[in-house]
Amino acid sequence: MASVKGGPRRELEALGLDLSSYIGTHPMSGREKSGPLAATGDLFEGRPWVLTPTRDTDTEVLNLALELVSYCRAVPVVMDADAHDRAVALVSHMPHLVSSMVAARLENAEEAAVRLCGQGIRDVTRIAASDPRMWIDILSANPGPVADLLTDLSGDLEETVRALRALQSSDAGERHAGAKGVEDVLRRGNAGQVRVPGKHGSAPRVYEVVAVLIDDQPGQLARIFADAGWRGSISRMCGSSMRRGSRRGLCSCGWSPRLCRC
């Protein structure tokens, strides 16, 4: 069980070892924190669990691995080892480095600017809190595919920088071209984001934001969640804001109207 598969398999093959009892596995689930206190009983539930058997792997060994995945209520995905490494470079390893690079911009930023951080920057930098020592091991085992993706990303960055510089131009044509360039990368981002699976691997849900006026009293949020559950809808994210000196405020919730029994 590890984050990369191609390298370990080739090392075992080079040693001439019997691979009939060997199968690589990788549960695609985890958190930025580690240790027993970070564990949860549903960590693997509904999540992909990649299996990379070799051509020599015994059927019984594969079945035992599938049984383990089933016990953990995960979803088995059988892949070629190198295809797995390219995939995790795209959806895990490269995003982690990008998150770290964004977070690194905050290290020496002015305190007044950092105080303005909101949920957007928290979302982007959350995984940057992971243990660097663990990630050095992971990236050292999969450097090529990650470097290829970062090369592609650097091309997008250069194009976006040129488009933003064009927006500063006094020439209307250049500003128009710059706006089109920025719009292109934003729309491509929209198109990619909708392909990200929902929680536990399900299809992404569409949420509507509903603002609810609440009193500054205990139990107000519990009532909202209870009502959402009774109506069969899903409350994705709930945040509340109270004005200073006021006894009332607004609670904003992500709501799934498709499932609502209204």
Side-chain angles (χ1 to χ4, degrees), residues 166-194:
L167 288 175
Q168 296 177 303
S169 173
S170 58
D171 182 79
E174 287 191 22
R175 291 199 304 273
H176 177 73
K180 292 291 290 183
V182 174
E183 181 182 14
D184 176 67
V185 73
L186 293 174
R187 290 193 181 278
R188 286 165 53 209
N190 290 159
Q193 195 279 331
V194 297

Side-chain angles (χ1 to χ4, degrees), residues 165-237:
R165 297 298 185 198
L167 288 175
Q168 296 177 303
S169 173
S170 58
D171 182 79
E174 287 191 22
R175 291 199 304 273
H176 177 73
K180 292 291 290 183
V182 174
E183 181 182 14
D184 176 67
V185 73
L186 293 174
R187 290 193 181 278
R188 286 165 53 209
N190 290 159
Q193 195 279 331
V194 297
R195 297 192 64 193
V196 178
K199 190 176 181 180
H200 301 308
S202 62
R205 289 196 178 100
V206 177
Y207 291 91
E208 299 289 344
V209 177
V210 178
V212 182
L213 188 65
I214 60 173
D215 295 322
D216 186 13
Q217 295 178 3
Q220 294 293 296
L221 294 180
R223 289 178 59 190
I224 292 174
F225 286 127
D227 189 54
W230 177 81
R231 294 179 183 275
S233 56
I234 302 296
S235 183
R236 177 181 177 230
M237 184 67 187

Side-chain angles (χ1 to χ4, degrees), residues 100-111 114:
S100 294
M101 292 176 197
V102 173
R105 303 305 98 203
L106 302 175
E107 182 180 15
N108 298 311
E110 294 182 4
E111 186 62 28
V114 175

Side-chain angles (χ1 to χ4, degrees), residues 103-124:
R105 303 305 98 203
L106 302 175
E107 182 180 15
N108 298 311
E110 294 182 4
E111 186 62 28
V114 175
R115 286 199 193 102
L116 301 181
C117 286
Q119 193 58 47
I121 192 70
R122 293 189 189 98
D123 289 342
V124 171

